[in-house]
Amino acid sequence: MMSAVKRSDVCCCLCAPRLTLINVRGKVSRAQRTPGMRSSPNYNFLRTGRSTHEPGFTDLTPENVEFLRHKYVRDVIHNSPLKDAGSLLQPRQYSPELRRCGAVGVKLGSYPLFRKSGEKSLTTLIQLIDTQVIDVQPTDRAFRRNPAIPRWVPYPQLDKKYFKVTVGCKNISPEWVSYSQMRVYAKNGVPCKEKLTSFIVPEESVLPIGTPIYAGHFVPGQLVNVIGRSVDRGFQGGMKRWNFAGLPASHGVSLSHRAIGATGNTGAARVFPGRKMPGQMGDKVVFKPNVRVMRINTKYNVVYLENLVPGLDGAFISLSDSHSSAAAQQQKKAGISQLPYPTYCPTFHQQLEEDVYAPHIHDFRDPSIAFDPPDLD
C-alpha cells in the first residue's frame, strides 16, 4: 500500500524528527513493518554513522527523503544570504588594535618552499573549503591574551560590545546534522557544515551571516595563531611520552629497562598530582602561536604556513591573527601594516594574483639565477 508523508506534521525541512509514515488507513501497523525497521526513527546520524538511505533503518521512504532534499534546497539554500553578504560588508580602515575574525580550514599536508637566500623551508598547506560565517550572537565575554587567565573571562565593565562569530567549514548533507544544529542553519539560510568554530570579535569586526572567507583574508608575511588537535598516539610509556632515559641495560636491572623509576615521595608517602607517568599521548588541542604565512593561493583558497602544525592530514585547523608584541614587530619589519578589514572581498579590495608569496620567499615564476654577461666589446 502506498505510503505518504503526513503534511500536517511537516512544515519545513526542520520538522524531519516529527515525520510520521502513514497510509490511506492511518499509521503504519506493527504487522506492516519490516523485520529490520525500528519502532521509531533514529535521527542521530552523527552518532550512528548511518544514513536515511539504508533500508529498514528509519521509517522514511526514498520518496520522503527526496521530498525533504528538495524542500531543503528550496527553503534554505535559495534563501541564503550569500547574495547579499557582499552588499552588507563594508570595508574599513585597519588598525593593529582591531581584532579580526578567524578562519577554519582543512590540513592538506606539507610542501617545501625556498627562501631568496636559497634555504629550504617546510610549509603546511591549509585549504579553506566552503569557509563562511554561520551565525553571529552577542556575548558579554571577551578573549584575553594573557595565558595565565582562563580563556573565557566575564568582564565586569565592557567599554565595547563583543560578538561570537561562528565560522563553518566544508559543506555536508543535512542528513548528517542534528535537529538542533539544523535549526540554526535553516534560520540563517546557510549550508550545513562539518566543522564549526567561534571567534570573539568587537562590534566593528562582525561579519554578516553567509560571508565567505577566502585565502586573501591572510597576507603573506603576517603571523597567525594556529589551533589543532594533535595526533593520537594512544597509551604510551614514559620514555616515549616524556622522553625519559629509562633504566640501565644491565647491572642488576631485569625486565624493567623502559620503566620510569621511582614515583613516590619520602616525606608525603604519596604520588603528587601532575607526576609524569605513562598514559594517553596526543589527541589534545594544541595552540601554536606566531606562525608565519609564507604563501597563499587564491584559486584554491590554500594558505601555506611555516613549519608543521598539529593534526593529521584532513584534520580541521583554526587560524586567527596574532596580536603579540613579537608578531607586531616582525610584521612591521616585513612591511605589513594593513590587513583586509573586516575580511577580504573581491568586490571592494584589489584583485590578487593566483599565487602571492611573502617578501622573503622565492617566486617559482622568477629566474633562480640572474646572470648578466660581460660586454666583450
Side-chain angles (χ1 to χ4, degrees):
M1 188 169 291
M2 183 175 295
S3 301
V5 176
K6 189 175 180 181
R7 295 305 181 100
S8 60
D9 290 344
V10 181
C11 59
C12 65
C13 61
L14 300 181
C15 299
R18 292 184 293 170
L19 277 178
T20 56
L21 187 66
I22 63 172
N23 50 28
V24 293
R25 299 179 182 177
K27 198 172 183 179
V28 174
S29 62
R30 187 176 298 273
Q32 292 175 323
R33 296 183 182 274
T34 60
M37 184 177 292
R38 296 175 181 266
S39 59
S40 60
N42 184 354
Y43 294 93
N44 194 355
F45 301 113
L46 287 177
R47 180 180 302 175
T48 59
R50 306 169 77 175
S51 174
T52 54
H53 294 289
E54 185 173 349
F57 180 60
T58 64
D59 293 343
L60 296 179
T61 64
E63 293 79 8
N64 299 150
V65 176
E66 194 66 24
F67 167 75
L68 291 176
R69 283 194 169 188
H70 284 294
K71 195 164 186 61
Y72 169 76
V73 172
R74 183 176 69 254
D75 297 347
V76 179
I77 302 300
H78 288 179
N79 296 330
S80 174
L82 283 174
K83 57 181 180 298
D84 301 328
S87 60
L88 297 176
L89 188 64
Q90 299 180 359
R92 308 180 185 90
Q93 188 69 18
Y94 172 78
S95 62
E97 294 79 13
L98 297 174
R99 183 180 297 275
R100 301 192 307 163
C101 180
V104 186
V106 178
K107 180 179 177 181
L108 300 182
S110 58
Y111 185 79
L113 291 179
F114 292 88
R115 301 175 184 266
K116 292 184 178 179
S117 59
E119 300 176 354
K120 179 181 177 180
S121 296
L122 188 64
T123 61
T124 302
L125 280 65
I126 308 296
Q127 185 177 17
L128 308 183
I129 304 177
D130 307 324
T131 304
Q132 64 181 130
V133 178
I134 301 300
D135 194 17
V136 177
Q137 295 292 336
T139 178
D140 57 348
R141 300 172 183 265
F143 177 76
R144 293 187 178 179
R145 297 192 300 267
N146 190 351
I149 303 176
R151 292 192 58 180
W152 302 99
V153 182
Y155 276 27
Q157 293 181 356
L158 292 177
D159 55 347
K160 60 174 65 176
K161 294 182 179 180
Y162 286 87
F163 290 81
K164 183 178 69 173
V165 179
T166 303
V167 179
C169 176
K170 202 171 183 179
N171 293 342
I172 59 174
S173 173
E175 302 171 12
W176 306 97
V177 180
S178 62
Y179 175 63
S180 59
Q181 291 179 339
M182 190 62 206
R183 295 182 60 182
V184 179
Y185 295 125
K187 179 189 69 173
N188 298 329
V190 292
C192 302
K193 301 294 181 180
E194 184 175 352
K195 176 64 175 179
L196 297 179
T197 303
S198 299
F199 301 92
I200 302 297
V201 297
E203 185 176 8
E204 54 269 14
S205 301
V206 173
L207 299 176
I209 296 176
T211 302
I213 299 180
Y214 303 102
H217 183 77
F218 303 100
V219 177
Q222 79 166 109
L223 275 69
V224 297
N225 295 332
V226 177
I227 299 178
R229 184 170 289 273
S230 60
V231 179
D232 186 7
R233 303 295 182 182
F235 191 96
Q236 298 296 334
M239 294 184 66
K240 182 174 182 179
R241 189 186 185 196
W242 302 110
N243 198 23
F244 285 171
L247 299 184
S250 61
H251 296 282
V253 178
S254 300
L255 306 179
S256 300
H257 306 287
R258 298 184 64 87
I260 62 175
T263 59
N265 188 286
T266 303
R270 68 187 183 94
V271 180
F272 289 134
R275 179 71 168 88
K276 294 181 179 180
M277 302 180 70
Q280 169 66 30
M281 181 179 178
D283 195 23
K284 298 182 182 298
V285 177
V286 179
F287 174 77
K288 188 174 182 180
N290 300 338
V291 180
R292 188 180 300 276
V293 178
M294 310 287 277
R295 168 187 173 186
I296 63 172
N297 182 278
T298 57
K299 181 179 180 180
Y300 299 101
N301 286 327
V302 178
V303 181
Y304 294 71
L305 302 179
E306 188 177 13
N307 296 329
L308 301 178
V309 300
L312 289 168
D313 293 348
F316 292 98
I317 305 296
S318 175
L319 308 176
S320 60
D321 298 338
S322 179
H323 293 272
S324 63
S325 58
Q329 294 177 2
Q330 296 188 31
Q331 291 180 173
K332 183 178 181 181
K333 185 183 299 184
I336 300 175
S337 59
Q338 292 294 326
L339 299 177
Y341 186 76
T343 186
Y344 172 76
C345 183
T347 307
F348 302 104
H349 297 90
Q350 181 182 2
Q351 294 291 335
L352 300 176
E353 299 181 358
E354 181 176 344
D355 289 294
V356 184
Y357 295 82
H360 63 285
I361 296 298
H362 170 70
D363 191 345
F364 291 105
R365 296 168 294 186
D366 299 337
S368 57
I369 298 178
F371 176 72
D372 295 331
D375 191 3
L376 301 179
D377 297 337

